[in-house]
Amino acid sequence: MRQLRVLLDPLARRLRASPLASRLWAQYRTWGLERRAQRILARRSGRAERLPSGVVYEATMRCNLHCEFCYVGALLNLEGEWREELPVEMLERAFPAKHGLQISLTGGEIFVRKDIVESFDLFRQKGYVCGYITTNGTAITDERAEALAGLAVKGFLKHISVSIDGPPEVHDLARGAHGTFEKTARGLRRLQEAARRQGAPLRLSINTTVAAESIEALDRMVDIAADLGVDAIGLNHLMFSTPEEVDETLRILGVTDRATVATYVTADPGVRPEQVRTKIAALRQKCVERGIKFDVRPKVSPALTDAYYTAGTPIRGRCFYPFNYARVGFSGKVYFCPLIRLEVGDLTAESLEHAWNSDRYIALRQKLLDHGMFPVCRRCCKVELARPAG
């Protein structure tokens, strides 16, 4: 069976690369996720299936940049704690072997880890497929670029998302360091060149975030993508919560530590709804004209923009992230979700299967079902937002 999969995987990758097949595959995945969501709602239980659909591994919480709007900013570079990162030999024991399990890596900046490429290869040997990695691109060396392209050739790595916030002067200001744009551009070019040399089916995109520092230059991302030779842009709406939303979430969860909620907390997102709506429309139109793929998350419709960017406005929706994806921290701790840092398991002491349906995980999922989503979930990239009535 394994030999058959090895033979069929390259064919499947080539088929999915065509535009029509890509759309059909996306529709199939959406259909599958909705069926899974309906099963969850029908059970009305916090118990999930035996194993998650995927694992998001926070390979490190160290970072070499200081971005004002980073939603995990308070977790970055915690003195001493980064030393708890699981080395490769412990990753071997902490993660189970399972063919086809999707793993995605984020942080922090994952490439500040010296053993990150070895970690990728370990996951490949376990049969995993890497859905995506996110990086600021500044630590992509020639050696790493070649290794990443090689992992794409082997079918493990599919997509690298490189964060860019605008033209050089805007990007450097948002990232808190002069010259960051050029370092990021060099890293991206190294990846492109390595992929070309090896004939690697590696998708590269640039990712940007709606933020006060970069909103006026948002539609210029198309020109930047073209200059960098990239044909896809991902846009994240600003993730934030108000202090009151944090307090209400903690009350629901029955905890008092405000550090439990890891998001950008502010009473003023710093951008106006009409400004966001206009700039995103201009960006989308320019992408269509230039043949550049464009995606945005969460799916904030123009009609929902006012509510999303008016702090404190209630928004309806649902979230099934904790039923589908395990969030594993750098030390092996399993957390409820990216924003709610309640520990529900520990892969250094138990299996992923056991942690995935631990008593605490089940209880928290049940609370999530009862509320649809928590107040701090309203402006998270993982949530499914309901369209406004009328």
Side-chain angles (χ1 to χ4, degrees), residues 134-174:
T134 57
T135 174
N136 62 42
T138 60
I140 302 291
T141 62
D142 288 331
E143 181 181 13
R144 283 175 167 172
E146 292 294 336
L148 293 168
L151 288 167
V153 169
K154 293 174 182 175
F156 170 73
L157 180 58
K158 311 233 179 243
H159 178 208
I160 298 179
S161 175
V162 180
S163 299
I164 294 181
D165 298 300
E169 67 281 4
V170 173
H171 181 82
D172 289 359
L173 178 63

Side-chain angles (χ1 to χ4, degrees), residues 180-213:
T180 303
F181 181 93
E182 185 51 42
K183 289 179 183 177
T184 297
R186 284 200 300 268
L188 182 56
R189 293 188 191 103
R190 289 184 178 116
L191 289 168
Q192 292 167 324
E193 291 162 4
R196 278 195 293 269
R197 277 193 294 271
Q198 298 189 41
L202 180 59
R203 291 187 293 117
L204 297 170
S205 66
I206 57 175
N207 187 67
T208 194
T209 300
V210 173
E213 295 86 348

